[in-house]
């Protein structure tokens, strides 16, 4: 019989297996290098050139192991690695033009997710009469979606001549994006994110006599988490029950988000980390139409192909670069002994 | 006039925007014209009949005029009932729903309770309701098969009238749970009903009697307090109108057959359900 300790050690063994493999490959490579080095001065020319060829290729492998493979394996697995995401977009500065940019950003995420085979559901969209969307909420439930998209949180700025602008003047507008970690009901309970008695549930509007007297849909629900003051209103679904379920999903995601931020602060992870050090209210990216340019201000990366970003393929470049940046900052912290 | 503006004149801006979204989605799926659907809504037809469904808990219930549209108040107490008592496959319940309409109450309970723990019977006087509740049972996989080998919950619809002296023989007692959302609107309130209710929904599902709208409760209570109609520890849950709590409480209490009678409020703070244990 295996004891709980055995199981724990076995799990550690299993989790560290890739590390062991990489280390073994590294040692093997070094042995090969030692063996081949002697042959580099071999009197036979054919032998010399074969040796030098092998030496170079093995050296390349060592370099890759040292700079990429091993460091990546040393980073502890992400505690949020299995979570899906809720993406919230909200029009900011710029009125109707900002609402139009919400539509563009929404399409950018939708295209990107479609191209990467992530399924998404639109939870709610709040359209305005002139065209455009004031705010939208989408759910990407696949595990890993949160870690993939989390660095999209922040203020996105657009510089362009709005369709509505007759004089051809360039406007600057903003849209706030918030990516929240999606947790299941069970996870929320096991993480003790909230206590049910701390949540006030209100139904919106009076129904008069109610019951058989009324068949109008009155399904809006508002939740208030009293200790944190977080409120969530949901009214896009056709029933009480559905709106309530959605509202709890958003509340759980908000509370989980607070927990993730708190945990990071506790670990001082923000210290040398460009990305997580950015406040939600800071502008993180600019989309400049005249210059066909998208710049991410946190990592100083500019792509000179705005349409490819908005059509969905280019966004992947930013996500990869931000991911890399985050890993590097985690590595730095480890080296500094945090 | 643009569709949104037309609907806004009937429903106000935010409700209009939401309903238009749902209507558009339905029109796209069912290949219907959005304009036609909005026209119907402008003539006071309930949104639920236009869309053909109403979510009820996690179920999508089919609705069709004139069968009563499931209400959120009913959804709320049905879910509460499902948590208040819990049958098991080892100790399954027989459930009777009087005036079943779409079948929403027993079907939601079939969905929420463990597999193989409930066999439900919904009765109604309306052929439209019997047909529709059978459709709903089939759509959610609760129709009763000729032989049920696997563990599942089942629903069957039976024509019967609670006011008919022969009611008991047509429903094959005993039962463990009786639920009902009987007609409870009194005459003076019936005249003030919104047109979407009075013109489209079956008066037989709404009108509870000329005086106080309480005609059906004594009839229901009389049947289920007959010897042998309910099993031991039987449960009763009856939906009531917004001002009928005390009266219906009294009707049950007078029989002396209930150990415990309580009144549940709906999410809007109105007395909505009388819950009793025998």
């Amino acid at each position: 019989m295996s004891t709980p300790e055995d199981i724990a050690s076995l799990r550690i063994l299993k989790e560290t297996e890739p590390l062991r493999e990489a280390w073994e490959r590294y040692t093997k490579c070094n042995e090969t290098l030692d063996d081949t080095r002697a042959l580099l001065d071999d009197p036979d020319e054919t032998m010399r050139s074969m040796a030098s060829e092998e030496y170079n290729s093995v050296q390349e492998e060592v370099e890759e192991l040292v700079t990429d493979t091993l460091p990546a394996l040393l980073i502890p697995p992400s505690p949020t690695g299995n979570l899906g995401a809720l993406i919230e977009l909200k029009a900011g500065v710029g009125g109707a033009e900002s609402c139009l940019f919400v539509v563009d950003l929404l399409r950018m995420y939708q295209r990107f997710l479609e191209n990467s085979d992530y399924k998404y559901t639109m939870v709610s969209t709040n359209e305005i009469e002139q065209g455009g969307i004031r705010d939208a909420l989408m759910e990407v439930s696949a595990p890993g979606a949160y870690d993939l998209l989390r660095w999209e949180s922040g203020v996105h700025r657009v510089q362009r001549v709005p369709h509505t602008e007759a004089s051809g003047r360039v406007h600057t507008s903003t849209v706030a994006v918030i990516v929240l970690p999606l947790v299941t009901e069970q996870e929320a309970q096991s993480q003790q994110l909230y206590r049910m008695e701390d949540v006030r549930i209100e139904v919106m509007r009076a129904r008069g006599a109610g019951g058989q007297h009324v068949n109008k849909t009155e399904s809006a629900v508002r939740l208030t988490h009293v200790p944190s003051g977080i409120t969530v209103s949901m009214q896009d679904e056709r029933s009480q029950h559905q709106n309530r379920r959605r509202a709890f999903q958003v509340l759980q995601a908000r509370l989980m988000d607070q927990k993730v931020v708190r945990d990071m602060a506790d670990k001082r992870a923000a210290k040398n980390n460009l990305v997580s050090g950015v406040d939600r209210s800071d502008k993180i990216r600019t989309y400049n139409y005249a210059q066909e340019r998208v710049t991410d201000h946190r990592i100083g990366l500019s792509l000179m192909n705005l349409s490819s970003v908005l059509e969905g393929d280019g966004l992947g470049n930013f996500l990869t670069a931000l991911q890399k940046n985050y890993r590097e900052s985690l590595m730095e912290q480890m080296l500094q002994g945090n | 006039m643009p569709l949104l503006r037309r609907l806004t004149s009937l429903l106000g801006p935010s409700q209009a925007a939401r309903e238009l979204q749902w209507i558009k989605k339905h029109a796209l799926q069912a290949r219907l014209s959005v304009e036609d659907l909005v026209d119907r809504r402008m003539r006071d037809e309930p949104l639920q009949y236009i869309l053909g469904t109403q979510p009820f808990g996690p179920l999508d219930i089919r609705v069709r005029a004139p069968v009563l549209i499931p209400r959120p108040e009913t959804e709320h107490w049905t879910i509460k009932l499902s948590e208040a008592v819990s049958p098991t496959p080892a100790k399954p319940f027989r459930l009777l729903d009087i005036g079943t309409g779409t079948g929403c109450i027993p079907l939601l309970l079939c969905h929420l309770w463990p597999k193989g723990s409930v066999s439900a019977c919904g009765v109604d006087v309306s052929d439209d309701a019997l047909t529709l509740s059978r459709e709903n049972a089939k759509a959610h996989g609760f129709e009763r098969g000729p032989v049920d080998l696997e563990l599942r919950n089942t629903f069957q619809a039976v024509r019967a009238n609670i006011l008919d002296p022969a009611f008991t023989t047509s429903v094959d007692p005993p039962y463990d749970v009786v639920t009902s959302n009987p007609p409870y609107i009194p005459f003076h309130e019936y005249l003030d009903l919104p047109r979407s209710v009075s013109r489209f929904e079956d008066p037989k599902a709404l009108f509870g009697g000329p005086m106080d709208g309480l005609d059906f409760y004594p009839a229901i209570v009389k049947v289920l307090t007959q010897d042998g109609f309910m099993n031991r520890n039987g449960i009763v849950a009856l939906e009531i109108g917004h001002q009928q709590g005390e009266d219906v409480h009294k009707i049950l209490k007078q029989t002396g057959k209930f150990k415990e009678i309580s009144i549940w409020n709906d999410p809007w703070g109105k007395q909505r359900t009388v819950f009793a244990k025998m």
Side-chain angles (χ1 to χ4, degrees):
Chain A
M1 284 298 284
S2 49
T3 66
E5 290 81 35
D6 288 346
I7 292 168
S9 344
L10 277 171
R11 190 182 317 123
I12 293 173
L13 215 61
K14 176 107 183 107
E15 276 170 5
T16 49
E17 203 164 286
L19 188 59
R20 198 201 70 217
E21 277 169 15
W23 178 253
E24 278 172 1
R25 250 175 72 210
Y26 174 72
T27 0
K28 187 106 187 292
C29 283
N30 274 329
E31 277 166 25
T32 322
L33 284 181
D34 283 344
D35 294 348
T36 349
R37 197 171 294 126
L39 297 171
L40 288 173
D41 298 325
D42 199 272
D44 182 70
E45 198 188 321
T46 325
M47 189 58 97
R48 264 205 323 270
S49 93
M50 271 170 66
S52 123
E53 204 171 291
E54 181 163 19
Y55 191 84
N56 288 338
S57 92
V58 174
Q59 198 160 33
E60 264 172 41
E61 198 182 341
V62 169
E63 224 152 86
E64 196 203 310
L65 280 167
V66 171
T67 53
D68 291 332
T69 317
L70 282 166
L73 287 169
L74 291 173
I75 296 172
S78 163
T80 49
N82 63 340
L83 300 182
L86 279 179
I87 311 175
E88 251 187 303
L89 293 96
K90 282 184 184 160
V93 180
E97 157 67 355
S98 165
C99 295
L100 289 172
F101 193 55
V102 171
V103 178
D104 295 330
L105 283 186
L106 198 57
R107 200 180 46 234
M108 172 178 86
Y109 290 122
Q110 289 172 340
R111 296 244 167 111
F112 173 76
L113 291 166
E114 280 157 16
N115 292 343
S116 347
D117 278 332
Y118 276 94
K119 282 208 180 70
Y120 63 84
T121 326
M122 289 310 302
V123 176
S124 71
T125 49
N126 196 347
E127 289 173 37
I128 62 167
E129 216 175 327
Q130 306 92 300
I133 295 176
R134 184 169 290 123
D135 52 74
L137 182 64
M138 65 196 289
E139 178 195 317
V140 193
S141 53
Y146 174 69
D147 275 7
L148 176 71
L149 296 161
R150 58 190 298 192
W151 310 120
E152 289 302 290
S153 285
V155 172
H156 295 237
R157 184 171 70 163
V158 61
Q159 296 174 319
R160 65 178 175 190
V161 181
H163 299 305
T164 46
E165 170 70 49
S167 69
R169 199 167 53 87
V170 172
H171 286 227
T172 299
S173 319
T174 64
V175 169
V177 176
I178 302 164
V179 178
L180 299 170
L182 190 65
V183 279
T184 63
E185 188 115 22
Q186 292 92 311
E187 280 170 312
Q189 306 227 318
S190 70
Q191 299 247 18
Q192 297 182 310
L193 288 179
Y194 65 95
R195 293 182 310 168
M196 203 54 199
E197 57 264 37
D198 287 337
V199 182
R200 199 168 67 223
I201 305 170
E202 293 162 284
V203 288
M204 312 291 239
R205 288 200 276 186
R207 266 173 71 79
Q212 291 168 9
H213 292 71
V214 189
N215 63 15
K216 197 173 161 190
T217 359
E218 300 277 16
S219 51
V221 170
R222 179 168 63 206
L223 303 183
T224 307
H225 180 247
V226 179
S228 65
I230 295 176
T231 65
V232 181
S233 298
M234 202 50 74
Q235 52 205 9
D236 279 59
E237 303 279 357
R238 284 175 54 209
S239 83
Q240 276 273 315
H241 176 82
Q242 290 173 333
N243 278 324
R244 209 174 130 124
R245 199 176 58 82
R246 281 293 185 198
F248 267 102
Q249 195 181 37
V250 175
L251 175 67
Q252 286 158 7
R254 294 240 165 96
L255 290 167
M256 186 65 190
D257 177 56
Q258 286 192 341
K259 185 171 184 289
V260 169
V261 171
R262 216 166 40 231
D263 287 354
M264 275 176 101
D266 287 350
K267 286 184 200 149
R268 299 184 167 279
K271 194 175 159 195
N272 288 305
N273 182 346
L274 285 169
V275 170
S276 62
V278 170
D279 193 84
R280 290 264 160 85
S281 57
D282 288 351
K283 75 168 193 277
I284 56 159
R285 201 177 288 153
T286 298
Y287 304 74
N288 186 306
Y289 276 62
Q291 298 169 13
E292 263 284 306
R293 167 178 65 85
V294 184
T295 302
D296 197 293
H297 305 291
R298 296 164 295 186
I299 48 175
L301 174 67
S302 283
L303 289 185
M304 300 310 290
N305 193 345
L306 177 127
S307 20
S308 121
V309 174
L310 287 177
E311 296 309 312
D313 281 348
L315 180 64
N317 295 326
F318 281 112
L319 295 180
T320 314
L322 288 160
Q323 201 71 255
K324 188 158 172 274
N325 174 262
Y326 176 59
R327 284 220 194 92
E328 283 167 7
S329 68
L330 280 180
M331 284 301 294
E332 264 171 53
Q333 275 166 47
M334 284 172 56
L335 291 173
Q336 286 165 2
N338 272 333
Chain B
M1 199 159 46
L3 296 173
L4 186 60
R5 199 157 310 157
R6 290 177 64 198
L7 281 173
T8 301
S9 66
L10 180 76
L11 303 163
S14 53
Q15 181 73 11
R18 282 196 290 278
E19 290 201 7
L20 186 58
Q21 262 185 16
W22 297 325
I23 287 175
K24 278 183 177 165
K25 196 173 162 197
H26 175 66
L28 197 70
Q29 280 170 353
R31 295 165 182 246
L32 296 166
S33 128
V34 180
E35 285 76 13
D36 290 351
L37 299 185
V38 170
D39 284 343
R40 285 168 62 185
R41 190 72 182 109
M42 291 307 292
R43 288 195 292 270
D44 289 314
E45 184 169 343
L47 177 76
Q48 297 89 332
Y49 287 154
I50 296 171
L51 303 180
T53 59
Q54 170 60 28
F56 194 74
L59 301 181
D60 244 344
I61 295 289
R62 281 187 206 174
V63 295
R64 197 160 55 221
V67 182
L68 186 83
I69 297 162
R71 305 291 202 259
E73 289 88 346
T74 312
E75 175 186 47
H76 181 258
W77 72 252
T78 305
I79 292 172
K80 187 168 171 177
L81 175 67
S82 78
E83 290 159 358
V85 283
S86 35
T88 59
K91 216 172 161 265
F93 276 179
R94 297 190 76 223
L95 169 94
L96 177 68
D97 183 44
I98 302 166
T100 202
T102 59
C104 60
I105 299 170
L107 292 175
L108 181 53
L109 291 169
C110 280
H111 177 81
L112 294 173
W113 279 334
K115 276 180 192 168
S117 72
V118 56
S119 115
C121 172
V123 301
D124 213 296
V125 292
S126 144
D127 284 331
D128 291 312
L130 293 170
T131 311
L132 188 59
S133 64
R134 282 178 194 132
E135 273 177 38
N136 273 314
K138 197 156 187 219
H140 293 101
F142 298 123
E143 81 275 21
R144 189 166 294 181
V147 189
D148 277 323
L149 295 172
E150 45 173 342
L151 217 51
R152 55 200 284 271
N153 293 336
T154 58
F155 170 89
Q156 64 168 344
V158 172
R159 164 190 277 286
N161 184 350
I162 187 73
L163 303 175
D164 180 347
F167 180 82
T168 305
T169 51
S170 48
V171 297
D172 185 28
Y175 286 95
D176 301 281
V177 181
V178 170
T179 55
S180 184
N181 177 14
Y184 53 63
I185 300 180
F187 187 64
H188 63 277
E189 290 176 11
Y190 196 87
L191 299 176
D192 295 331
L193 288 178
R195 296 204 302 183
S196 67
V197 177
S198 58
R199 283 209 187 164
F200 291 89
E201 294 187 285
D202 195 344
K204 289 203 295 295
L206 299 165
F207 184 46
M211 295 299 292
D212 42 16
L214 293 168
D215 282 10
F216 287 86
Y217 299 97
I220 293 170
V221 170
K222 191 174 164 207
V223 165
L224 57 88
T225 51
Q226 287 168 355
D227 281 344
F229 194 88
M230 297 295 285
N231 281 328
R232 273 173 60 84
N233 304 320
I235 300 284
V236 182
L238 306 174
E239 182 166 323
I240 53 171
H242 60 129
Q243 290 166 333
Q244 296 170 333
E246 273 176 43
D247 291 328
V248 177
H249 189 281
K250 200 184 286 169
I251 291 167
L252 267 73
K253 193 163 178 158
Q254 278 168 351
T255 64
K257 304 233 172 161
F258 295 92
K259 279 189 296 205
E260 182 195 321
I261 308 171
S262 48
I263 299 177
W264 292 348
N265 279 9
D266 69 23
W268 290 268
K270 295 274 192 304
Q271 296 190 335
R272 188 57 62 195
T273 313
V274 173
F275 173 82
K277 290 182 180 173
M278 296 185 93

